[in-house]
Amino acid sequence: MDQLDRNLAMELVRTTEAAALAAAQWVGRGDKNAADAAAVQAMRRMLSTVHMKGIVVIGEGEKDQAPMLYIGEEVGTGEPPESDLAVDPIDGTRLCANGMPGAVSVVALAERGSMYYPPGIVYMNKIAVGPEAAHAIDIRLSPTENLHRIAEAKRMSVRLLTVVVLDRPRHQALIEEIRRAGARIRLITDGDVAGAVMTAFPESGVDVLMGIGGSPEAVVAAAALKCVGGAIQCTLYPRDEEERQRARELGLELEKVFTADDLVRSDNVFFAMTGITTGDLVEGVRFTRHGAETHSIVMRSRTGTIRRIAAEHRLAKVQEYQTIAFDTDGRVMVE
């Protein structure tokens, strides 16, 4: 752990900036695969320059399906410290492809062996809150009970709470219960890492995230929330009986409530997020005639430091991550 005393978060933000710059060129073009590929390539390239011996624990998937930033891939220069990484070059690929708000690039780092990865279980049921309600939530209780506990902790009416929920058919009953309880709902199409992190920042207007989302995203969100004193609780969510049986064979605890400390077993966590499209937390990439501007949040759990970084990137730097051929007027060149 002592080897992590260097503030790696300041180096990691360069990786999210690179991914955001690459992905931003695909904003609104309707091709989420191309956007994701560009972001992955840029992030991987920049990670190779970070002085660490890192291994991707949460990434783009298994090696056979993900040629880069796959689970188990070694990244960095190969020097200490030995680290676990959770990467999401684009949290919200559909948001990016459709030019919608809230797409971000994120990466989290902690000491080796501290990040949890549930093999074969793609989804988790989650509840996440900021520091004020960190000790109030209990995922074993109903959404209504949790909303009342959160409202009491925040000293406000349930009717004033805003709940972020992924807009999915599986959440219809959850949405109906939240509305019966009297709280407000903000539906999001994608991006539940940002949705969870928003609960810790009052300016976002979001008080709690509820619902079923990706397991990898839960680990990334846990890393961020540990940096700001928030909380997340999750349970594994097998999609069908086959996945449930596989979980039993692997010895996974389906009834276990996972907290942030279970998902990231370290008190020295680094987290970086850069906006691709403008959302509630960070502004998106803005291209100019001279290059581009990015906005990022950088956090560290040990110190509790939160930094907001506005960066200007010269045109030559932006061109390093260019994956689309443009003519001199800025139009896409078609073969």
Side-chain angles (χ1 to χ4, degrees):
M1 188 179 298
D2 291 340
Q3 294 176 329
L4 285 182
D5 280 344
R6 188 173 86 252
N7 194 345
L8 284 167
M10 298 302 293
E11 298 179 50
L12 294 176
V13 73
R14 292 167 55 233
T15 72
T16 56
E17 287 175 345
L21 287 169
Q25 297 171 57
W26 291 95
V27 166
R29 300 187 189 278
D31 192 337
K32 64 180 184 179
N33 291 331
D36 191 53
V40 170
Q41 182 178 2
M43 178 175 280
R44 183 175 185 256
R45 177 180 173 185
M46 191 57 69
L47 280 172
S48 69
T49 70
V50 179
H51 293 285
M52 64 178 177
K53 188 175 183 179
I55 187 167
V56 176
V57 177
I58 301 295
E60 293 295 287
E62 304 296 334
K63 182 177 181 179
D64 291 343
Q65 287 79 39
M68 295 188 292
L69 293 180
Y70 57 83
I71 296 168
E73 181 176 355
E74 295 182 359
V75 293
T77 60
E79 311 165 38
E82 295 188 354
S83 312
D84 282 355
L85 275 91
V87 302
D88 198 345
I90 304 180
D91 177 43
T93 52
R94 182 161 40 180
L95 301 177
C96 176
N98 294 334
M100 299 168 66
V104 295
S105 177
V106 296
V107 61
L109 179 148
E111 61 190 300
R112 177 65 56 84
S114 62
M115 287 185 175
Y116 177 73
Y117 170 66
I121 304 296
V122 178
Y123 289 108
M124 283 183 164
N125 188 26
K126 314 172 189 178
I127 181 170
V129 292
E132 289 181 293
H135 301 291
I137 59 173
D138 186 341
I139 199 170
R140 296 167 297 184
L141 302 177
S142 70
T144 300
E145 290 175 282
N146 272 297
L147 288 171
H148 282 282
R149 290 164 67 104
I150 294 165
E152 182 178 358
K154 301 191 76 166
R155 298 182 180 180
M156 58 194 297
S157 166
V158 171
R159 296 188 62 82
L160 298 179
L161 295 179
T162 297
V163 187
V164 163
V165 181
L166 277 171
D167 189 5
R168 300 288 188 272
R170 62 177 177 263
H171 288 148
Q172 189 57 44
L174 172 63
I175 291 169
E176 291 174 359
E177 180 171 351
I178 292 170
R179 285 174 175 159
R180 284 198 303 270
R184 302 181 299 171
I185 291 177
R186 183 184 299 185
L187 292 175
I188 57 174
T189 59
D190 294 277
D192 65 341
V193 171
V197 178
M198 281 192 290
T199 65
F201 289 84
E203 62 268 29
S204 74
V206 171
D207 300 288
V208 54
L209 174 136
M210 290 182 173
I212 299 159
S215 298
E217 288 81 358
V219 178
V220 181
L225 290 170
K226 290 194 75 163
C227 293
V228 292
I232 185 170
Q233 293 183 7
C234 311
T235 56
L236 296 174
Y237 183 83
R239 290 173 293 179
D240 50 39
E241 186 55 39
E242 181 181 349
E243 203 166 89
R244 184 178 297 274
Q245 181 59 33
R246 189 184 312 129
R248 294 194 190 101
E249 293 170 356
L250 292 171
L252 300 178
E253 301 173 81
L254 296 180
E255 305 303 320
K256 178 180 173 64
V257 174
F258 293 87
T259 66
D261 287 332
D262 295 312
L263 298 174
V264 184
R265 300 184 303 276
S266 173
D267 66 354
N268 199 14
V269 182
F270 303 85
F271 177 85
M273 168 190 286
T274 300
I276 300 171
T277 59
T278 297
D280 294 284
L281 289 178
V282 284
E283 294 182 34
V285 175
R286 186 172 77 89
F287 291 107
T288 69
R289 60 181 297 186
H290 304 293
E293 298 174 359
T294 59
H295 295 264
S296 306
I297 294 176
V298 183
M299 304 187 290
R300 184 182 185 186
S301 65
R302 174 172 284 184
T303 61
T305 305
I306 302 172
R307 291 182 172 91
R308 293 183 179 272
I309 299 175
E312 296 182 4
H313 305 267
R314 293 186 178 181
L315 183 61
K317 189 66 175 178
V318 175
Q319 289 173 336
E320 290 183 24
Y321 308 110
Q322 187 165 304
T323 56
I324 308 175
F326 296 95
D327 65 18
T328 55
D329 294 323
R331 294 173 297 191
V332 177
M333 294 176 65
V334 181
E335 294 182 359

